[in-house]
Amino acid sequence: LRKDKSIPDVILVCVVVILVMTAHNLFYTFITPFLLGPVGVPLGNIPLVLFLYGSGGVIGLLLAGIFGDRYPRASLVLFMATVVATVGVIGFMFGVPWVVLPAIVLWSIGFGAMPSLLQARMLRAASRRMRDIAAAYLTTSFNIGIGVGALIGAVLLNYFDIGVLPFVDIVVTALALVG
C-alpha cells in the first residue's frame, strides 16, 4: 500500500477534514456562551436555537444526498462557502438576533452536508485496496479536528473575546476550501 497512487489524495481529504472540523468545533463548542453573550439570546431560548441548528443539519444532510453524487465537487465547495458566508454574518452581525438566528440555521445546513460529502470524497479518492485504511484515516481526521478545534477555541478564549471565534472559524474553513 505504500506505493498506492491514491495516497496523496487520501492525505489531502484528511487535511481538509481536519481543517473543517477544527474550524467548526473551535466556534460551535462555545456557541451557548456566544448566544447568551454577544447575541443576547435569553437562557430559556437556547434549547430552541440549538434545535433549529440541529434541524438545519438534517436539511444539509438531505441536500448532500440529493446533490452530492451529481455534483460532488461543486456541492462541497458550495456548502463550505455557505459556512464561510453565514459564520461571517454571525460574526459581524452578532448584535442583531433576527439576522443571526437565520444565519445559524444556514450555517448548520452548510456544515450538515459536509461530513457525508467528505466521506464520499474519500471513497472517490482512495483506491479499492486503500479504502479500509482510508476510512480509518478519515475517522481519525474527524476526531483530531474535533479535539483540536475545541482546544484552539478554549485557548483563544483565554486571550481574546468570544467574538473572535467566528472569524477564526472563517479563516480555517477558507483554508479547507482552498484544499
Side-chain angles (χ1 to χ4, degrees):
L1 287 176
R2 281 186 240 159
K3 295 180 182 179
D4 191 293
K5 292 180 181 179
S6 68
I7 290 175
D9 293 334
V10 167
I11 291 170
L12 179 61
V13 173
C14 287
V15 169
V16 169
V17 167
I18 290 170
L19 289 171
V20 164
M21 295 308 294
T22 296
H24 180 72
N25 285 286
L26 71 83
F27 182 30
Y28 187 74
T29 300
F30 304 97
I31 195 64
T32 297
F34 186 83
L35 291 169
L36 290 171
V39 179
V41 174
L43 182 61
N45 292 342
I46 295 296
L48 176 61
V49 174
L50 295 178
F51 174 77
L52 292 173
Y53 182 89
S55 299
V58 171
I59 293 167
L61 181 60
L62 290 171
L63 291 173
I66 293 168
F67 297 108
D69 277 341
R70 276 186 249 157
Y71 313 102
R73 184 178 298 264
S75 295
L76 190 56
V77 168
L78 174 68
F79 288 113
M80 278 190 193
T82 299
V83 168
V84 169
T86 55
V87 172
V89 168
I90 294 164
F92 283 113
M93 303 295 290
F94 63 85
V96 187
W98 63 270
V99 172
V100 170
L101 296 176
I104 285 175
V105 174
L106 292 173
W107 170 31
S108 179
I109 291 170
F111 180 76
M114 283 196 279
S116 61
L117 291 173
L118 288 166
Q119 184 175 12
R121 183 85 178 139
M122 180 63 87
L123 288 173
R124 285 186 185 93
S127 67
R128 286 199 184 276
R129 64 185 183 159
M130 183 77 177
R131 284 191 180 157
D132 289 342
I133 293 170
Y137 288 164
L138 184 72
T139 301
T140 302
S141 298
F142 273 102
N143 289 326
I144 289 170
I146 292 166
V148 169
L151 177 64
I152 290 172
V155 169
L156 288 170
L157 286 177
N158 280 331
Y159 296 100
F160 302 99
D161 185 72
I162 198 165
V164 75
L165 297 181
F167 298 104
V168 178
D169 182 338
I170 291 167
V171 169
V172 178
T173 303
L175 287 173
L177 188 54
V178 170

